[in-house]
Amino acid sequence: KRVAILISGGGSNMVRLVEEMQAGRIDGAPVLVLSNRPQAAGLQRAAALNVPTQALDHKSFPDRAAFDAALHDALTAAQPDIVCLAGFMRILTPEFTAKWEGKMLNIHPSLLPLFRGLHTHRQALEAGVTVHGCTVHGVTAALDDGPIHGQAVVPVHPNDTEADLAARVLVEEHKLYPAVLAALCAGRTPHIAQSGAFPEA
Ligand code: GRF
């Protein structure tokens, strides 16, 4: 399967997906890493892994629809079978998501449907939950909605800071996203439940 990955920052999830494909543990080929931020460190990391990269600076477009149209054209040129949003910090228009529905995945750092949107770890701490985690889901017009393909759960410790929680969740993201993509590339519909970092019972 041809896999395109969209990033906005460090791209740690992208790196894991690319590494697993290049190691042959995911039956996929990374055909493009695209960022809406030209300065995203993930672009250099993708280039170092010999993956074609593209920057599409959202600030050089008059509005969201214009950016999404250029993004659609860039993706169409790469002809991906699957598009992975990985730390991609743009809200996509319904017109765009409709064109890629069924082919587009996202990883969100919460146990959806809890804590949609931004600052999910702060939301979790403020809610006082004792478990938290991340979700890989199909992208639909509604934000952080869509069919759930996999989730990973971690404990929340009483004195956790936002950074502590983010780091614990990120470790699980780096395992969950490759597992979901591997299943999809193998033609399976994933339904993955993963747990990490629980104290011994
Ligand atoms: C992280 O906060 C992660 O939880 C979320 O996107 C952010 C950046 O991830 N998925 P990455 O390192 O750019 O993949």
Side-chain angles (χ1 to χ4, degrees), residues 4 23 48 83 122 124 169 183:
V83 182
R122 185 184 313 161
V169 169

Side-chain angles (χ1 to χ4, degrees), residues 136 147-152 176 179-180 183-184 188-194:
V136 176
I148 289 175
H149 295 317
Q151 296 191 298
L176 180 67
V180 169
L184 285 169
R188 294 195 304 275
T189 302
H191 190 84
I192 296 171
Q194 177 184 306

Side-chain angles (χ1 to χ4, degrees), residues 9-14 86-87 89 107 109 121 170 173:
S12 70
N13 276 289
M14 175 275 298
M89 304 305 280
I107 188 159
H121 310 303
L170 195 59
E173 292 183 39

Side-chain angles (χ1 to χ4, degrees), residues 103-150:
K103 292 187 171 184
M104 187 168 279
L105 303 173
N106 182 42
I107 188 159
H108 180 76
S110 80
L111 293 175
L112 292 176
L114 282 175
F115 313 138
R116 290 190 169 97
L118 296 175
H119 310 301
T120 59
H121 310 303
R122 185 184 313 161
Q123 291 187 61
L125 292 172
E126 285 169 358
V129 295
T130 63
V131 292
H132 184 42
C134 52
T135 303
V136 176
H137 64 94
V139 173
T140 58
L143 181 67
D144 300 330
D145 202 344
I148 289 175
H149 295 317

Side-chain angles (χ1 to χ4, degrees), residues 5-9 11 13-14 17 84-88 105-107 177:
I5 306 172
L6 305 188
I7 65 169
S8 297
N13 276 289
M14 175 275 298
L17 295 174
C84 295
L85 307 184
F88 186 65
L105 303 173
N106 182 42
I107 188 159
Y177 218 163

